Amino acid sequence: MTRPGVLRWIAYAFGARLPVRYAPWVLHDLTCRTWFLRHLARSAVQATPAALLALLPGPVWLKVALPLFVLFSTLFMATLFSPMVREKRLYQHGYLPEVVLRDDE
């Protein structure tokens, strides 16, 4: 199983499709026991540009509060939409979510 490099992983975190050779890693990333934590980590990476808000002029509490607000809002929305994002990523990389994620009862 080939893991993408840092730059490819960052692109993947922002929604890019990885080349086919990474398909087994993507399947593992989206179906392993810790898939939800991995999803939150990708979402936190997406919120990192909000740190630039700390450069705006103003009181210190505001420079701290704005990036934290963006981070917590991002993580909240990521939590709400995690199943849909997971299915979209599986489909984007050539897997059928209804087959991969089905419960074998």
Side-chain angles (χ1 to χ4, degrees):
M1 182 167 48
T2 306
R3 186 183 182 345
V6 174
L7 294 178
R8 284 194 194 261
W9 184 87
I10 290 173
Y12 172 72
F14 278 92
R17 186 180 189 281
L18 292 176
V20 174
R21 71 175 183 259
Y22 298 112
W25 179 83
V26 170
L27 182 63
H28 170 75
D29 183 52
L30 296 171
T31 58
C32 69
R33 186 173 50 92
T34 58
W35 75 268
F36 182 72
L37 296 175
R38 291 169 176 252
H39 173 68
L40 291 181
R42 287 191 300 272
S43 299
V45 167
Q46 291 174 355
T48 54
L52 295 175
L53 293 171
L55 301 175
L56 293 174
V60 175
W61 69 267
L62 191 59
K63 291 180 179 189
V64 172
L66 283 175
L68 286 178
F69 174 74
V70 171
L71 177 64
F72 289 130
S73 300
T74 300
L75 293 177
F76 178 74
M77 296 304 285
T79 300
L80 287 178
F81 293 107
S82 60
M84 289 169 272
V85 172
R86 180 184 188 196
E87 289 180 6
K88 178 209 168 266
R89 282 184 184 268
L90 282 168
Y91 184 75
Q92 179 184 24
H93 287 87
Y95 295 103
L96 296 174
E98 54 273 2
V99 174
V100 174
L101 299 177
R102 75 170 180 229
D103 290 332
D104 292 330
E105 295 177 12

